[in-house]
Amino acid sequence: MKRWQLKRTKIDIDAIAADMGVQKATAAVLANRKLFTKRAAHTFLYPQKTALYPSEQMLHMQQGVALLTKAIQQGKKIAVYGDYDVDGVMSTTILYKAITTCGGSVQYYVPHRQQEGYGLNKKAVETLANAGVAVLFTCDNGISALQEVALAKELGMQVVILDHHEPLCKAGKEGEWVDILPSGDVVIDPKQRKCQYPFGALCAGGISYKFAICLLDAFGLRDAVLEQELLCFAAIATVCDIVDLLEENRTLVKMGLSAIQHTTNIGLRVLIEETNLQDRNITEYHLGFVIGPCINATGRLESGKMAVDLFCESDAKKARQMARRLVQLNEERKALTTQAVERITQQIEQSDTLQQKVLVLYDGQTHESIAGIVAGRIKDRYYRPTILITDAEDGAKGSARSIEGYHIFEALLSCQTLFTRFGGHAMAAGLSLPHENISILRQKLNETCTLTKQDMIPVLRIEKLLTFDEIHMKLAEELRTLSPFGKENPSPLFATQKVFMERLRCVGKNKDILQMVLCEEESNMRLSAISFDGLEQLQNLLKELYPMVDCDTIIKSGSLPMMFDVVYSIDINAYNGRTNVQLIIKDFRVSK
């Protein structure tokens, strides 16, 4: 069950539509995103590089560039220390390529997920120091590595931290929150309370891109081809790290998607080919659900270093072998994920787990590398904050995924004495803890959780009620200009009341996708539609309405006897050289 909320605005939609020369449905979406003027709408629809804020406004950005510039000029050994997820891999690649271009003596280090875990670790710091590394440059990690950074400083290294996660904090003398920062020479993180940068939602890839451009400028080596290459990496990181797709993030992704179609990076190009995207118009969907998972799979099942190797490889034959391995690992990851989700779902259904508002689950069989994905699937299914904990080499390790209205990092912060390590942000986090603390964590989080029953029902926010005569190719094309879609800029949803489902059939590999034609009662107009996840919902509905009849028999008849209200997004379906408008069904219910 989902809650349907129709967005309300006092703005004159008709006036916006007339002023901007767009359909009323498009005007409603713009108004709901507070884009009331031509200038604001144009900036949103057609973002330019000039919309990016000056990088020097970010706290310590200039000091970081100056430190790296001097280190490169002095021939000091530099190590870029990244992370094994997409954001960490892309950040590492961006910084490594920029420093290499500037003539730096640089290497990259990506920790092993199972053997080392997230972020800096003391053994790695010691290894790098013994190898003669003079500058330790972290990206997508480091902001909470107090002890590890202190060790690096003791061992004589300069430390530059580039991160986008929440710093640790404590209550100050007057009750205000004060950041607890590591003792690095430079700490770049827009989430620092003292940082006045106008946009705090950049991922590490976006910050790394801005740093890299500043560094290249410092050496007078800014090159359009390299800049486009780095932009592609920043766009992939931004989409896959699920940060707000607004302002700078939207600009980076929009420009990156344009650049990725013609990328000169050999590794990225062959990965696009190996995932069969070479003839597609690559969108944010392909970054988030095709390319990104292949990059992530290396860190989950082998080493994230493999993905950085791919994007830094200049030999096309070697790059293709690496890309094929990434695709293969992703297929293995999919199988492991499916098995884990099915097993844990069965455990939940056979227990009283759903009496809890915050699901703190333990499953020793789940491979720790996919715990975050599985937690996300369970969160989506039951719409509750979910922490999945599994066995690790040293104790237990978990991944958390949250829902709207529950800041998971703040919740974990209140339980920080239970963890050996933890970090994250509002919607996702990672943690390590002794096994004996799992039940204590479950109890504390549920005792302090203030979510209501209504909070735990997902909301579909509807832009506008439409009739079928308002839906056509021109509208679909206008709505596409609002992309890239993602967090804080979701694909617009609309609703239509009283429609029949006709020509219903189940398609797809597992016959679990509903394809249909919708007929509006009032106008008798018809539109093609598809539902990727509505089969189980429809089966349950039919069982309830017609308990004496086999629901699959009703579906196979190809037509349903009742009318529905439907919520959908509007898409353009291209097949065999033909295009038509297609509704993507997000939810439905029987009309009153």
Side-chain angles (χ1 to χ4, degrees):
M1 184 176 70
K2 297 182 177 71
R3 285 185 287 151
W4 295 11
Q5 282 187 0
L6 180 62
K7 294 181 180 179
R8 303 287 185 183
T9 179
K10 295 180 180 179
I11 304 300
D12 188 337
I13 300 300
D14 291 350
I16 291 179
D19 186 45
M20 299 185 185
V22 297
Q23 303 298 305
K24 291 180 182 179
T26 307
V29 177
L30 292 172
N32 290 333
R33 282 155 173 72
K34 296 182 171 55
L35 302 167
F36 308 133
T37 66
K38 274 187 176 180
R39 182 176 181 181
H42 190 274
T43 300
F44 181 85
L45 296 174
Y46 311 104
Q48 301 294 319
K49 194 183 300 182
T50 52
L52 297 176
Y53 297 112
S55 300
E56 58 270 17
Q57 290 185 17
M58 193 174 295
L59 185 65
H60 299 148
M61 176 69 80
Q62 289 176 299
Q63 292 94 317
V65 171
L67 190 153
L68 261 292
T69 300
K70 188 173 181 180
I72 292 169
Q73 291 170 340
Q74 293 178 345
K76 290 183 178 180
K77 242 183 176 179
I78 303 164
V80 176
Y81 192 109
D83 186 29
Y84 39 69
D85 72 356
V86 178
D87 194 18
V89 165
M90 297 288 87
S91 302
T92 303
T93 304
I94 289 168
L95 295 172
Y96 175 79
K97 281 184 163 288
I99 295 169
T100 301
T101 300
C102 295
S105 173
V106 60
Q107 66 185 88
Y108 49 85
Y109 189 100
V110 179
H112 192 283
R113 183 189 287 262
Q114 285 76 50
Q115 297 171 8
E116 299 175 89
Y118 168 77
L120 281 175
N121 66 84
K122 291 181 179 180
K123 185 176 179 181
V125 171
E126 290 170 347
T127 299
L128 291 170
N130 291 335
V133 169
V135 179
L136 180 61
F137 192 171
T138 76
C139 54
D140 198 28
N141 71 95
I143 195 66
S144 59
L146 307 183
Q147 295 179 5
E148 293 79 5
V149 172
L151 175 60
K153 294 298 296 176
E154 287 175 17
L155 295 174
M157 287 191 278
Q158 292 179 292
V159 181
V160 177
I161 293 164
L162 187 155
D163 206 346
H164 74 117
H165 292 99
E166 299 279 355
L168 297 174
C169 56
K170 63 181 179 181
K173 293 179 180 178
E174 298 181 6
E176 78 285 6
W177 287 104
V178 178
D179 290 336
I180 304 173
L181 299 174
S183 56
D185 296 85
V186 174
V187 179
I188 301 170
D189 185 338
K191 288 193 172 69
Q192 295 177 80
R193 283 167 174 77
K194 290 184 179 179
C195 184
Q196 299 299 310
Y197 193 71
F199 186 66
L202 286 166
C203 68
I207 302 168
S208 296
Y209 169 78
K210 295 179 78 73
F211 187 99
I213 296 304
C214 289
L215 185 66
L216 292 167
D217 281 341
F219 282 87
L221 293 172
R222 190 164 179 174
D223 172 80
V225 175
L226 177 61
E227 187 173 349
Q228 290 293 93
E229 186 176 311
L230 302 185
L231 192 56
C232 293
F233 298 142
I236 295 170
T238 301
V239 170
C240 294
D241 215 51
I242 317 179
V243 290
D244 298 353
L245 278 186
L246 300 172
E247 296 192 45
E248 284 197 305
N249 286 337
R250 176 177 171 79
T251 302
L252 290 172
V253 174
K254 195 95 169 178
M255 294 192 303
L257 285 171
S258 177
I260 206 169
Q261 306 288 154
H262 315 287
T263 183
T264 56
N265 182 270
I266 292 171
L268 182 55
R269 191 180 72 233
V270 296
L271 181 58
I272 289 170
E273 291 169 359
E274 290 300 319
T275 50
N276 299 312
L277 296 178
Q278 66 271 23
D279 297 321
R280 301 281 192 95
N281 176 37
I282 296 175
T283 68
E284 67 275 18
Y285 171 84
H286 300 111
L287 300 189
F289 294 96
V290 182
I291 293 174
C294 290
I295 298 169
N296 255 333
T298 62
R300 296 186 188 284
L301 301 183
E302 288 194 6
S303 169
K305 181 178 181 296
M306 184 189 301
V308 184
D309 291 343
L310 170 65
F311 299 123
C312 294
E313 182 56 64
S314 57
D315 184 292
K317 187 175 180 181
K318 291 180 181 177
R320 190 167 298 280
Q321 291 174 342
M322 293 180 189
R324 286 176 179 167
R325 181 60 179 152
L326 262 65
V327 174
Q328 179 186 353
L329 286 171
N330 191 43
E331 291 302 314
E332 293 176 18
R333 188 273 309 164
K334 287 180 185 178
L336 287 171
T337 301
T338 299
Q339 294 165 13
V341 170
E342 290 176 353
R343 182 176 62 252
I344 294 168
T345 299
Q346 187 176 33
Q347 293 171 4
I348 291 172
E349 298 291 348
Q350 295 174 352
S351 68
D352 60 356
T353 301
L354 293 180
Q355 292 179 14
Q356 302 161 8
K357 294 179 179 179
V358 182
L359 303 183
V360 180
L361 310 170
Y362 169 74
D363 182 68
Q365 296 182 59
T366 298
H367 197 285
E368 67 172 85
S369 66
I370 61 168
I373 301 175
V374 178
R377 299 278 178 86
I378 299 298
K379 179 265 296 182
D380 290 341
R381 184 178 184 90
Y382 298 107
Y383 203 66
R384 295 163 195 229
T386 300
I387 302 174
L388 177 59
I389 300 171
T390 187
D391 294 331
E393 291 195 3
D394 182 19
K397 184 181 288 186
S399 288
R401 297 294 182 268
S402 196
I403 63 174
E404 186 178 327
Y406 189 81
H407 197 300
I408 194 69
F409 178 78
E410 290 182 355
L412 294 177
L413 191 62
S414 68
C415 305
Q416 59 183 304
T417 56
L418 299 176
F419 309 123
T420 52
R421 302 183 74 177
F422 84 102
H425 45 79
M427 301 303 288
L431 53 96
S432 297
L433 74 172
H435 281 89
E436 58 267 25
N437 286 354
I438 296 174
S439 59
I440 303 172
L441 175 64
R442 181 183 297 117
Q443 181 180 352
K444 289 190 72 171
L445 290 178
N446 278 284
E447 283 177 349
T448 58
C449 180
T450 58
L451 290 171
T452 65
K453 285 186 178 180
Q454 184 151 309
D455 292 332
M456 292 183 289
I457 301 174
V459 179
L460 294 179
R461 293 184 170 85
I462 299 163
E463 309 282 351
K464 190 177 187 295
L465 293 176
L466 296 181
T467 55
F468 275 10
D469 63 350
E470 295 178 274
I471 304 172
H472 40 67
M473 187 61 71
K474 185 175 181 182
L475 173 61
E477 289 172 345
E478 284 183 2
L479 293 174
R480 271 200 170 181
T481 64
L482 299 170
S483 67
F485 299 120
K487 186 169 178 279
E488 298 303 319
N489 184 41
S491 179
L493 297 181
F494 302 94
T496 299
Q497 298 173 314
K498 297 187 177 180
V499 300
F500 290 103
M501 292 185 182
E502 300 177 347
R503 301 183 210 169
L504 195 67
R505 62 191 186 115
C506 296
V507 299
K509 181 180 178 182
N510 300 315
K511 300 298 180 183
D512 57 354
I513 298 172
L514 288 172
Q515 197 174 67
M516 69 197 82
V517 171
L518 297 181
C519 176
E520 185 181 35
E521 182 198 34
E522 185 173 343
S523 66
N524 206 35
M525 288 184 64
R526 289 170 170 79
L527 289 170
S528 65
I530 193 166
S531 173
F532 293 101
D533 59 1
L535 178 58
E536 184 179 354
Q537 179 186 353
L538 183 58
Q539 289 171 330
N540 292 336
L541 175 65
L542 292 174
K543 285 177 186 176
E544 184 180 332
L545 292 173
Y546 305 103
M548 305 302 293
V549 182
D550 178 46
C551 63
D552 289 333
T553 300
I554 300 175
I555 293 172
K556 286 177 182 177
S557 71
S559 182
L560 301 180
M562 73 287 289
M563 285 187 299
F564 293 90
D565 299 338
V566 291
V567 176
Y568 51 85
S569 60
I570 300 172
D571 196 18
I572 299 174
N573 182 41
Y575 184 72
N576 284 341
R578 298 176 61 186
T579 59
N580 66 285
V581 174
Q582 180 174 254
L583 307 185
I584 312 296
I585 305 298
K586 303 299 181 181
D587 197 24
F588 53 85
R589 61 192 181 196
V590 176
S591 301
K592 294 181 180 179

